[in-house]
Amino acid sequence: GVRMNNALYRGGHLQNVITIDPNILDRVEVVFGSGSVVYGSDALGGVMHFFTKNPVLATNEKTAISAGAFTRYSSANQERTGNFNFSMGGKKWGFLTNVTYKEFGDLRAGTNRKSGYENSWLRRVTQDIVNGTDVVIPNTNVNLQTWTGYTQYDILQKIMFKPNNNQVFTLNFQYSNTNNVPRYDRYSEIDNRGNPVWAVWDYGPQERLMLSLKANLKANKGLYDYANIVLAYQNIGEDRITRRFGRVGRTHREETVNVYSLNADLSKTLAKDHELRYGVEFAYNHVASLAYEIDIKTNIRKIASTRYPDGGSEMRTLAAYLTHNWELSKKSDYQKIVFSQGLRYSNVSQQATFIEKSIFPFPFTNTDLNNSALNYNLGLVIMPNRSWRFNALASSGFRTPNIDDLGKVFDSQRGNVIVPNPTLKPEYTYNFEIGLSKNFSDKVLVEMTGFYTIFENAIVVRPAKFNGQDSILYDGLKSRVQANVNAFKAEIYGFQANIKAQFTDFLQFRSSLTYTKGWVITDGVPLDHIPPIYGQTSLKANFKKFQAEFFVNYQGWKRLKDYSPSGEDNLQYATPDGMPSWTTLNLRTSYQLTSFLQAQLALENITDRHYRVFSSGISSAGRNLVATLRANF
């Protein structure tokens, strides 16, 4: 119930999901299509909603107590993970504690390369510091991606209080922290002399602290039947530590985001055929950006350019929404027609202040943006019988420029620097999708969904000028000036197909395939962040004590002509032909040793394929043996 997107999250910015401990998740809901009516800005193409487990209260006079622990080892990166969780609940009070520690070594990629690309992504040399001097060291294993390991720990504590059957209050504390996380794509860059470009390129300790208080309320009459009210505070640290190879100046750019939010979501049933859901959202983001350079020889500290406005930045959101579900016809749970509508009004305002101009003579001191948006959705679900289901949806979404879009100064790739653009406008989507599913005798389920999205005022990176110049000096390198701009109009379309078949009581087959195409109509070029066709096919066996699943993951080609010219697709980390297609074979098993002890064993990427997923600057894991021992009491 707490938005993770903040003033600094960028388009495609999903890596911070690792700050949610997967070992304490109850479930994950993925909402396809625009979710802006319920979730607001940023929900252009979908929403990922993560639900962590709650304490279990006692159902009788006896206290409910449970505990679990596991340890895991993975061979491809020498992973060592340990987890412990404990839950205790009485009739009114419940407590849940979860702690996880993870330690990852350098990631080993596969040795089996695609024909014609045997020399792609070889890690021939690595860098280190010996006696205070940067040195180049031959890498004895060209598939070992040095400077990829890191450690992380996650803590969750929940306290639940249920004074009566109509009220539940939950206090939720989460904390995640890492050591310095090396950015491998930058560490692997080599200059024309054969030396690494960077001696250091790390994300500083990546911290996320969240504290929320949630009230779940029920009422038999009045304005609502059910209400969820969440008051939350988040503190996020996102630092960058960089130093070019052979230089003594190490730059620290430290960003801190404080987020205060209040969400109220209520529902009310009117008669038996109408349901209203409505709510309000308030969020306040404050961004503090600090930068300095330290001479590693003398420890002398001097000023450096900040990534975001050094005078501080603020972003405020205020929104209200209303949705209505109307059962036009209902004969049973499997025979009905449901018509849904929704409307949301959002206002987002931002302020940013630029103080230090000795490094970048910004032509402005303050920037202010104030944007409003009205979003809608219309949906229709038709279920004529138990076997068929048809659905159609028309919706709109929006994403307001945030502080990252508005005031960022950053080298997205070597030789290019992005500068602020205070004239940005929100980007909007108008989404249309249609889907159908067919159930064959409760044994085979086939689903297909097609969608088409019009993207207006799409924010993309394009060449620009800074104080009349198309190139400036940034971090000692003459760099081409770029900026986020509104590209006026783009389109995205594609489909997703799924099939699930239950062959016998113990044997199940699944397969999914997704295809997406994106195009900037105004410029006649591909849109960025559009993956090639990809999918998964699996066969799973379930027995009383033993489970096994064999699955195949695959991704098609991303050809050179399909890459965005903005550089956001990271073409510099692909091959001269683009990103090759790949397929991996994988097997995972589990066996219940005792009533409380389970062993799990997996072998991933069995053929040791060397591959990269689209847009990635790091090769994926090679053949990987994963062993887990899990206990539940």
Side-chain angles (χ1 to χ4, degrees):
V2 178
R3 167 192 285 258
M4 289 190 68
N5 291 64
N6 58 55
L8 300 188
Y9 277 21
R10 303 170 284 285
H13 190 101
L14 305 178
Q15 67 268 25
N16 288 76
V17 76
I18 69 169
T19 65
I20 302 175
D21 186 359
N23 304 296
I24 198 61
L25 286 178
D26 179 62
R27 69 188 189 277
V28 179
E29 294 181 359
V30 181
V31 182
F32 293 104
S34 172
S36 285
V37 166
V38 176
Y39 295 95
S41 176
D42 307 345
L44 294 175
V47 175
M48 296 188 298
H49 201 155
F50 300 87
F51 296 82
T52 50
K53 294 178 182 178
N54 286 314
V56 177
L57 300 181
T59 56
N60 50 42
E61 297 299 327
K62 191 175 181 180
T63 302
I65 298 177
S66 63
F70 78 86
T71 180
R72 180 173 62 231
Y73 168 80
S74 299
S75 64
N77 58 358
Q78 301 299 306
E79 174 200 357
R80 292 174 291 277
T81 293
N83 168 268
F84 171 77
N85 64 83
F86 175 78
S87 177
M88 180 175 66
K91 280 203 166 185
K92 291 188 175 182
W93 288 91
F95 303 86
L96 174 63
T97 302
N98 182 79
V99 180
T100 301
Y101 176 80
K102 311 169 190 175
E103 184 175 325
F104 304 98
D106 290 332
L107 181 64
R108 186 191 67 81
T111 59
N112 181 18
R113 284 176 161 78
K114 194 177 186 72
S115 177
Y117 301 92
E118 291 82 2
N119 294 319
S120 298
W121 308 315
L122 297 173
R123 183 73 156 130
R124 299 183 186 276
V125 297
T126 187
Q127 57 272 74
D128 208 341
I129 302 176
V130 178
N131 297 324
T133 302
D134 293 334
V135 295
V136 181
I137 302 173
N139 192 13
T140 56
N141 182 354
V142 294
N143 295 310
L144 185 65
Q145 298 173 113
T146 54
W147 298 104
T148 52
Y150 72 98
T151 61
Q152 177 176 337
Y153 65 89
D154 302 283
I155 300 171
L156 177 142
Q157 178 65 57
K158 284 191 178 183
I159 301 174
M160 179 184 288
F161 175 55
K162 184 179 180 181
N164 53 60
N165 289 332
N166 294 326
Q167 297 176 331
V168 179
F169 301 93
T170 306
L171 184 67
N172 183 1
F173 170 82
Q174 297 180 24
Y175 181 70
S176 177
N177 194 16
T178 70
N179 67 341
N180 286 3
V181 181
R183 182 165 167 173
Y184 175 77
D185 56 348
R186 298 305 181 98
Y187 274 104
S188 64
E189 291 180 357
I190 303 297
D191 64 21
N192 53 17
R193 297 175 298 174
N195 291 329
V197 174
W198 298 96
V200 178
W201 213 120
D202 295 340
Y203 286 106
Q206 298 290 283
E207 291 185 272
R208 181 182 68 91
L209 181 148
M210 187 193 82
L211 184 65
S212 72
L213 179 61
K214 182 176 183 178
N216 296 93
L217 309 174
K218 297 180 183 178
N220 296 323
K221 59 182 180 179
L223 296 177
Y224 64 88
D225 296 329
Y226 299 94
N228 290 324
I229 302 172
V230 185
L231 179 66
Y233 165 74
Q234 297 178 81
N235 178 275
I236 299 101
E238 186 178 274
D239 305 340
R240 292 164 177 81
I241 305 170
T242 60
R243 182 173 65 83
R244 291 191 177 272
F245 190 85
R247 297 186 184 178
V248 297
R250 186 180 65 228
T251 303
H252 295 245
R253 292 186 172 93
E254 302 175 357
E255 331 299 341
T256 303
V257 187
N258 287 288
V259 185
Y260 305 86
S261 62
L262 174 65
N263 290 78
D265 300 286
L266 306 95
S267 64
K268 180 70 177 178
T269 299
L270 304 177
K272 66 175 183 178
D273 300 328
H274 300 269
E275 182 185 33
L276 292 179
R277 293 180 182 269
Y278 58 99
V280 295
E281 177 187 18
F282 170 77
Y284 171 78
N285 286 244
H286 181 271
V287 180
S289 192
L290 172 69
Y292 54 91
E293 182 180 297
I294 295 179
D295 188 310
I296 63 172
K297 300 286 188 181
T298 65
N299 283 326
I300 294 176
R301 177 167 163 166
K302 66 179 183 179
I303 192 172
S305 61
T306 58
R307 178 180 171 93
Y308 300 108
D310 57 342
S313 311
E314 297 178 347
M315 186 169 79
R316 288 177 292 272
T317 300
L318 185 62
Y321 76 92
L322 172 68
T323 67
H324 172 231
N325 285 345
W326 181 13
E327 289 188 346
L328 296 173
S329 172
K330 182 177 180 180
K331 296 181 180 179
S332 70
D333 289 340
Y334 305 103
Q335 288 180 287
K336 58 183 178 181
I337 300 174
V338 180
F339 177 46
S340 61
Q341 319 94 50
L343 202 63
R344 181 189 185 98
Y345 174 79
S346 303
N347 177 264
V348 182
S349 60
Q350 300 178 56
Q351 293 82 37
T353 303
F354 299 83
I355 297 176
E356 177 58 52
K357 297 189 177 184
S358 61
I359 299 176
F360 285 110
F362 293 111
F364 40 79
T365 299
N366 296 286
T367 60
D368 293 272
L369 283 181
N370 192 302
N371 296 301
S372 297
L374 189 65
N375 294 109
Y376 66 86
N377 64 31
L378 295 171
L380 185 66
V381 177
I382 301 175
M383 300 171 63
N385 52 51
R386 190 182 183 92
S387 299
W388 285 98
R389 175 189 174 101
F390 303 90
N391 64 274
L393 175 69
S395 60
S396 68
F398 87 105
R399 178 178 177 271
T400 186
N402 61 16
I403 301 301
D404 185 88
D405 301 303
L406 174 70
K408 175 174 60 179
V409 178
F410 184 59
D411 58 331
S412 60
Q413 63 185 83
R414 182 170 169 78
N416 293 281
V417 62
I418 295 175
V419 299
N421 178 8
T423 65
L424 278 177
K425 299 176 181 178
E427 47 189 355
Y428 295 89
T429 57
Y430 302 93
N431 181 64
F432 307 91
E433 67 178 65
I434 187 168
L436 63 88
S437 64
K438 170 66 174 173
N439 190 326
F440 297 89
S441 303
D442 289 335
K443 294 293 185 181
V444 179
L445 177 65
V446 179
E447 300 174 308
M448 292 192 66
T449 300
F451 70 92
Y452 176 78
T453 300
I454 300 172
F455 207 168
E456 291 191 348
N457 285 342
I459 297 176
V460 297
V461 177
R462 290 290 183 268
K465 290 187 178 182
F466 184 80
N467 288 339
Q469 297 179 317
D470 59 8
S471 296
I472 60 174
L473 196 66
Y474 183 79
D475 270 359
L477 179 70
K478 188 175 182 180
S479 302
R480 183 178 63 167
V481 175
Q482 295 181 313
N484 284 312
V485 299
N486 293 106
F488 302 111
K489 196 169 185 178
E491 63 179 0
I492 308 171
Y493 56 88
F495 71 86
Q496 183 181 44
N498 302 285
I499 182 171
K500 180 173 70 173
Q502 192 73 38
F503 292 140
T504 67
D505 290 340
F506 61 85
L507 194 61
Q508 184 184 82
F509 172 83
R510 287 177 179 264
S511 188
S512 66
L513 188 69
T514 301
Y515 170 81
T516 314
K517 183 78 171 181
W519 197 255
V520 181
I521 299 174
T522 308
D523 299 339
V525 297
L527 188 66
D528 54 33
H529 292 299
I530 302 297
I533 192 169
Y534 65 91
Q536 182 187 86
T537 300
S538 69
L539 188 64
K540 186 175 183 178
N542 284 290
F543 300 96
K544 186 175 181 180
K545 291 187 175 183
F546 177 73
Q547 291 184 336
E549 182 179 18
F550 175 76
F551 60 100
V552 182
N553 291 335
Y554 37 89
Q555 177 181 285
W557 264 95
K558 181 76 171 185
R559 297 290 181 179
L560 199 65
K561 62 181 177 60
D562 295 322
Y563 272 74
S564 168
S566 69
E568 289 294 291
D569 287 342
N570 294 329
L571 180 60
Q572 70 272 26
Y573 301 128
T575 73
D577 302 315
M579 192 64 75
S581 61
W582 52 265
T583 302
T584 65
L585 309 180
N586 312 270
L587 176 68
R588 54 189 172 206
T589 64
S590 67
Y591 184 77
Q592 196 69 35
L593 299 171
T594 68
S595 60
F596 64 88
L597 196 62
Q598 184 185 69
Q600 298 173 328
L601 197 65
L603 188 60
E604 301 171 342
N605 194 0
I606 296 173
T607 61
D608 204 27
R609 170 68 61 186
H610 193 119
Y611 70 100
R612 289 189 176 186
V613 297
F614 159 65
S615 192
S616 180
I618 184 172
S619 298
S620 297
R623 186 181 296 118
N624 186 27
L625 179 66
V626 185
T628 306
L629 187 63
R630 190 180 301 271
N632 290 290
F633 304 93

